Amino acid sequence: MLNYIWIFLIAVALLVGAGKDLNDEVRNTYQNGVPLEVTFLSPQIPAGSVLRREGQFYLTANQFNDFYKTTSQHEEVKQPAVISLSADGSGTFIFSSADATPELWKRMSTSASARDQLTGTVEKIEFSDDKSWAKAVILLEPIRFVKLKAITQAAIDFANTAVEIAIGLIGVMALWLGLMKVAEEAGLVKVLTRMLTPLTKRLFPDVPSDHPAIGAIIMNTAANMLGLSNAATPMGLKAMEELNKLSPKTGTATNAMVTFLAINTGGLILIPATAIAVRAAAGSANPGIIIGTAIFGAGCATLTGIIASKILQRLPRYKKEMPEEEKVAKEERHG
Amino acid sequence: MADLFRSVINIISVFAIPLMIAVFLGWGFIKKVHVYEVFVEGAKDGFQTAIRIIPYLVAMLFAIGIFRASGAMDLLAMIISPVTNLIGMPADTLPMALMRPLSGSGSLGIMTELMKTHGPDSFIGVLASTMYGSSETTFYVLAVYFGSVNIKNSRHAVPVGLLADLAGMLGAVFICRILFGI
C-alpha cells in the first residue's frame, strides 16, 4: 500500500507540474516578451553619462491586472527597483522580491535567473522635466517552467530536511534511551507496566504484559499526550525496537506495531500547543477555545485507528504476511 | 473550567521531564544500579537509531515535498470538494484536511494562511486549528517509526493510519459544526 501511495504522490506531482508549466507556456501567463509600460518614480537627480538610479516602478492595480490578465492584484504596485542606463538610452533593471511585491512577481522571481530577483531590459525611458519621474517601457526576463524548477528545488531541499531531522534526533535519542535503560535496570518500568496491565493486555495481546515494550509504549503515549515530543519520539522508537525483538519475521510490521502506530498517528494531545500559539499570533480573542474540539477530533482518530487495526489484521491478505498466531501456537505446543 | 484544565496540564508538562529524570536516576541509584555506566550503555543506541531512519525519511519527505511544490494539492481538493460540501465542510479547509497526514510544516502553513485570510475566530479558523490538533502527521510517524527497525512491509498500517485521519477530520468538522456552527 505504501508503494502505491508513494508512487502516486511522485507521479501526480510530476504530471501536474509539467501540465501547469505547459499551460503557462500556452497562455503566456507571465507575458514573456511583452513590453510593460510603467511609471518610474525616482526623486534623485542623476549625474554623469552612465546612470544608475534607484526608484520605484509604479502601476495601478488595474494596469497590473490588465497586463497579466488576472484579478489577483488589489493594491497599487510600488516596487523598489534599480535601473542602469547607458548614454544611448538602453538599459537594464533589477528588483528584489519583498513583502510588498505582487504575488505574481514573487512567484516569477522564485524561478528567475537570480533567485528571488527579477531582471529585465529598459526598452524606452522618458524623464519628466524635473527628472523626478519617468515613463518607461520595460521587458522582464522570460519566465519558464516555474513548477518543474520548484519540484527540482523541493526534491533537493526535502532530502536535506530529512537528514537534518534525523541528525537532530541523535542527542535527544541518546538522552532518553540512556534514561530508559536506567529505569529498566532499576525495575521501574515493570512497576509502571503492572499498573496499566488490564488496558495494555487488551490493546497488545501478542506482547507479554511485563515486557519492556509495554513500558516504552506507555511512556511514549504519556509524553505525546503532554505534548513532550522531544521525549515521545525516542520512547516510541525504543518501543518499536522492543516490539521488533518479538517479531517472528523481521522487515514486516506485526499487529502490535500497527496498533501502536495507530495510537501515535491519532495524535491525542491534551493541549494542542502549536495550534494555540498560531491562533494567538493571529490575534484570536480566545486561542484556547480549540482544546476541547481538538481532543474530540483526536479521540475519534485514535479510537478509529485502534479499532481499524484490530479489524484489518484479521483480513486474510494481511494475516498471511505475518504468521504470528501460528507461530505462537506452535511454541505453546512445544513448550 | 477550560482555563483550569489548561493550567493544570501546563504545570504537569513543565514538571514532567525534570521529575522523570529525578525519579529514573534516583530510583536506579537507590536500587544500586551503576547509573552512569547503564546510562551510557543505553545512550549508545541513539546514534544508530537516528541514522537508521535517514533513508526512510528521505524517501517519504522528498515525495511529499515535490507533491507540495507541484501544486497538485489544489487540484486534488477541487476533485474531492463536491463530496465534502455535502457534509458541510468549507472548501477552504479541504487542503488542510488533505495535507495534515502528509506534512506537519505544510499543514501548519495552510492553517496560518487560513487564519490570516478568514480570522482565527471565524468558523474556518476554528475548524482549521481543530483539524491541526486532531491528528498527527501519519506518514512522518510511519517513516520514522518503521524506519527505525527497518520495516519495509507495513501491512495494514497505511489503511489504518488513513482511516484514523479520516475519522479525525470528520470528527473535527462534526464537533465544530455543533459548537460553532453557522
Side-chain angles (χ1 to χ4, degrees):
Chain A
M1 180 106 180
L2 202 50
N3 264 321
Y4 295 115
I5 291 185
W6 196 65
I7 205 69
F8 170 82
L9 286 175
I10 294 171
V12 168
L14 294 178
L15 284 175
V16 171
K20 285 196 171 186
D21 281 349
L22 192 68
N23 184 40
D24 284 348
E25 198 62 26
V26 171
R27 296 168 69 173
N28 202 8
T29 313
Y30 304 114
Q31 298 297 317
N32 291 334
V34 182
L36 169 65
E37 279 179 39
V38 294
T39 309
F40 183 65
L41 305 172
S42 167
Q44 279 175 29
I45 304 296
S49 60
V50 177
L51 305 176
R52 183 181 172 281
R53 298 195 66 171
E54 287 175 26
Q56 282 180 336
F57 286 142
Y58 176 84
L59 281 167
T60 64
N62 276 340
Q63 283 172 330
F64 188 90
N65 287 338
D66 287 348
F67 182 71
Y68 285 108
K69 301 184 177 63
T70 66
T71 50
S72 59
Q73 189 63 22
H74 303 299
E75 286 150 21
E76 52 186 13
V77 177
K78 280 182 178 168
Q79 174 63 47
V82 177
I83 62 174
S84 309
L85 296 172
S86 57
D88 60 0
S90 68
T92 58
F93 70 88
I94 184 165
F95 62 78
S96 303
S97 171
D99 277 347
T101 304
E103 283 302 321
L104 190 73
W105 279 357
K106 272 188 205 163
R107 187 147 35 101
M108 287 163 70
S109 72
T110 57
S111 69
S113 50
R115 201 167 158 70
D116 293 330
Q117 287 186 326
L118 278 172
T119 58
T121 51
V122 180
E123 300 288 297
K124 210 170 91 184
I125 189 158
E126 278 170 22
F127 279 95
S128 65
D129 292 339
D130 65 349
K131 307 266 183 199
S132 68
W133 62 275
K135 279 207 158 315
V137 177
I138 59 170
L139 191 60
L140 274 85
E141 62 178 309
I143 299 295
R144 292 208 160 82
F145 308 122
V146 173
K147 287 296 176 192
L148 288 181
K149 282 178 187 166
I151 286 174
T152 308
Q153 194 60 39
I156 295 161
D157 286 350
F158 277 84
N160 283 332
T161 307
V163 176
E164 276 162 28
I165 291 175
I167 300 286
L169 268 178
I170 294 176
V172 280
M173 280 295 299
L175 172 66
W176 285 104
L177 291 180
L179 285 172
M180 299 262 293
K181 186 92 178 168
V182 175
E184 218 177 285
E185 295 263 310
L188 194 63
V189 178
K190 280 216 168 93
V191 176
L192 188 70
T193 52
R194 221 168 286 149
M195 288 193 299
L196 289 167
T197 299
L199 182 65
T200 53
K201 232 183 152 51
R202 283 204 181 80
L203 286 174
F204 305 100
D206 310 327
V207 184
S209 54
D210 59 346
H211 195 272
I214 298 291
I217 288 171
I218 292 171
M219 284 197 270
N220 163 268
T221 311
N224 264 330
M225 286 172 74
L226 290 173
L228 309 169
S229 50
N230 271 340
T233 307
M235 290 164 174
L237 297 187
K238 169 87 175 159
M240 289 302 291
E241 195 191 316
E242 294 294 340
L243 288 176
N244 199 38
K245 284 180 191 163
L246 294 169
S247 168
K249 200 171 157 190
T250 47
T252 303
T254 63
N255 292 342
M257 287 181 188
V258 177
T259 306
F260 176 53
L261 214 77
I263 297 173
N264 253 283
T265 56
L268 191 56
I269 180 169
L270 297 175
I271 302 276
T274 314
I276 292 176
V278 173
R279 289 175 58 74
S284 167
N286 191 351
I289 201 168
I290 57 145
I291 292 177
T293 54
I295 290 179
F296 179 86
C300 288
T302 309
L303 217 60
T304 308
I306 293 171
I307 294 169
S309 79
K310 294 290 171 200
I311 293 173
L312 290 182
Q313 74 188 27
R314 286 168 212 269
L315 291 183
R317 57 178 294 203
Y318 294 125
K319 213 169 176 177
K320 69 166 189 257
E321 290 171 337
M322 178 52 64
E324 220 160 4
E325 276 127 63
E326 289 163 45
K327 197 189 155 164
V328 172
K330 225 181 266 171
E331 270 171 359
E332 272 166 13
R333 241 176 285 139
H334 286 294
Chain B
M1 185 60 200
D3 280 342
L4 181 71
F5 174 74
R6 207 173 142 193
S7 42
V8 168
I9 300 291
N10 275 339
I11 289 170
I12 296 176
S13 307
V14 169
F15 281 89
I17 288 180
L19 200 70
M20 267 193 274
I21 295 175
V23 171
F24 284 12
L25 295 183
W27 189 292
F29 190 73
I30 291 167
K31 291 273 173 178
K32 299 200 167 55
V33 175
H34 295 286
V35 278
Y36 182 75
E37 283 95 327
V38 172
F39 179 94
V40 173
E41 193 56 42
K44 266 183 196 164
D45 293 337
F47 188 76
Q48 282 305 323
T49 314
I51 298 304
R52 211 159 34 219
I53 62 177
I54 288 179
Y56 297 89
L57 213 50
V58 169
M60 191 63 84
L61 290 195
F62 127 82
I64 291 166
I66 66 170
F67 183 78
R68 267 173 63 185
S70 72
M73 185 57 79
D74 303 333
L75 205 74
L76 201 63
M78 215 167 67
I79 296 169
I80 308 180
S81 59
V83 183
T84 48
N85 282 342
L86 287 179
I87 56 162
M89 180 170 152
D92 288 322
T93 57
L94 188 54
M96 176 72 200
L98 293 173
M99 186 60 87
R100 191 68 195 97
L102 290 176
S103 163
S105 59
S107 50
L108 184 63
I110 294 177
M111 170 172 74
T112 314
E113 197 57 46
L114 284 175
M115 276 186 214
K116 237 187 255 169
T117 330
H118 299 275
D121 296 320
S122 66
F123 180 69
I124 288 177
V126 171
L127 179 57
S129 37
T130 301
M131 281 176 166
Y132 186 84
S134 292
S135 176
E136 252 298 329
T137 317
T138 302
F139 284 91
Y140 170 79
V141 176
L142 202 75
V144 171
Y145 280 34
F146 279 1
S148 73
V149 285
N150 278 326
I151 280 177
K152 292 172 197 90
N153 182 356
S154 60
R155 285 175 75 223
H156 50 308
V158 176
V160 164
L162 291 179
L163 279 171
D165 289 328
L166 182 68
M169 294 305 133
L170 293 180
V173 174
F174 172 77
I175 193 77
C176 284
R177 277 186 69 89
I178 286 185
L179 295 181
F180 312 102
I182 353 155

